[in-house]
Amino acid sequence: MPPSPRPGRLASFLRPWSMIWMSICLHWEALVIALCRDGFSAFRHLHKVRDAALAKLLNLTSSGFIAFEDTTVVPSLVHAASGLVLELGPGPGNQIHRFDTTDIKFIYGVEPNSHFKEDIDAKLRKHGLSDKYKLILCGVEDSDVLRVEGISEGSLDVVLCIQVLCAVKDPKKVMKEVWKLLKPGGKFIFWEHGESRHRLTGAAQVLTNPAWSTFVGCHLTRRVKADILHSGQWENPGDIEEPEEPASLLPRIQGVLVKKA
């Protein structure tokens, strides 16, 4: 059976707006629930409304993301994780079923949005990983919290990062922490998206980014490759792959970088 044709440029540019609209509706729903529960004091905690809406959005779209990732290099990247692993921003737990626990000592999931916990716990039980995966509700920058769990500078064999750097507040800071936490010879395994190399697509990213970043929670125009490479010294910086995706507002970069000893 021949592969499905890639969508045209206009269709690619318009596609994100359906997810933006879905998220707007979920933000409104979360705000109404918060107002009914907390009254007007809910307006003092809009970040909680946003966390609830984004968690619901990513949980509702989880199966679609998993199906798409199955057509990419993502399953093989996750499968390559071994030793002591930190999964950065697991969200709804889309990667849990992909881990090959044969060579994995333990997995820590570092996720600041507590609304994902129930779904992640359910997936861990379903896939028999409850005794090999622990969710920590914090950011990777919260070194005091991580240290209590035994995660400190030079302690990790692998950091797995699947579509996370687009959503964190400060990707440069996050990557510097990731580099510190890895052992010499440790691996940073990633699949991310960022700024397009194509002028017309880049302009579409700039126009879409305000609504996308506000309601979907990630940024379209970040220079993710530079943030990764400038975090520290890597043995194989030339191994980063950038598949040609001229019409995509989410052009990917991917690879397995090894921390220089």
Side-chain angles (χ1 to χ4, degrees), residues 13-218:
F13 290 177
L14 294 177
R15 178 176 291 174
W17 288 94
S18 61
M19 193 162 178
I20 291 169
W21 175 246
M22 182 181 182
S23 186
I24 289 172
C25 295
L26 292 173
H27 274 76
W28 175 252
E29 177 185 290
L31 178 60
V32 170
I33 291 171
L35 286 170
C36 291
R37 184 185 62 235
D38 304 324
F40 287 109
S41 64
F43 286 109
R44 296 203 301 268
H45 305 286
L46 289 178
H47 65 284
K48 294 182 179 180
V49 172
R50 190 167 192 263
D51 282 352
L54 290 176
K56 190 166 185 179
L57 174 71
L58 294 182
N59 280 321
L60 288 172
T61 56
S62 175
S63 60
F65 276 111
I66 289 172
F68 172 66
E69 288 170 0
D70 281 341
T71 69
T72 72
V73 73
V74 169
S76 62
L77 288 174
V78 179
H79 197 78
S82 61
L84 188 61
V85 179
L86 186 147
E87 182 183 7
L88 197 63
N94 291 354
Q95 310 309 324
I96 286 172
H97 68 288
R98 295 186 172 125
F99 285 107
D100 177 8
T101 57
T102 307
D103 296 321
I104 287 178
K105 180 180 178 182
F106 199 80
I107 307 166
Y108 292 99
V110 174
E111 172 58 64
N113 189 338
S114 62
H115 292 277
F116 287 117
K117 186 178 187 307
E118 185 176 337
D119 290 275
I120 287 178
D121 287 345
K123 289 179 180 177
L124 292 175
R125 289 192 298 270
K126 178 180 177 181
H127 297 286
L129 282 174
S130 296
D131 62 342
K132 239 182 180 181
Y133 190 116
K134 183 173 184 179
L135 180 66
I136 307 172
L137 295 174
C138 71
V140 75
E141 310 95 324
D142 297 319
S143 54
D144 291 344
V145 179
L146 297 183
R147 199 173 294 115
V148 171
E149 301 292 341
I151 303 170
S152 57
E153 188 169 332
S155 66
L156 298 172
D157 296 299
V158 167
V159 173
L160 178 71
C161 185
I162 306 295
Q163 296 195 124
V164 179
L165 295 177
C166 58
V168 298
K169 184 176 180 180
D170 187 342
K172 293 180 178 64
K173 184 176 181 180
V174 165
M175 279 307 308
K176 287 185 181 300
E177 291 299 319
V178 164
W179 192 87
K180 286 179 186 177
L181 292 175
L182 283 170
K183 296 176 180 178
K187 297 176 181 179
F188 177 59
I189 301 175
F190 64 95
W191 188 72
E192 292 288 338
H193 69 82
E195 182 182 55
S196 175
R197 292 172 287 169
H198 298 269
R199 185 174 298 177
L200 181 58
T201 303
Q205 284 181 319
V206 170
L207 291 173
T208 307
N209 192 60
W212 182 264
S213 60
T214 299
F215 292 106
V216 180
C218 78

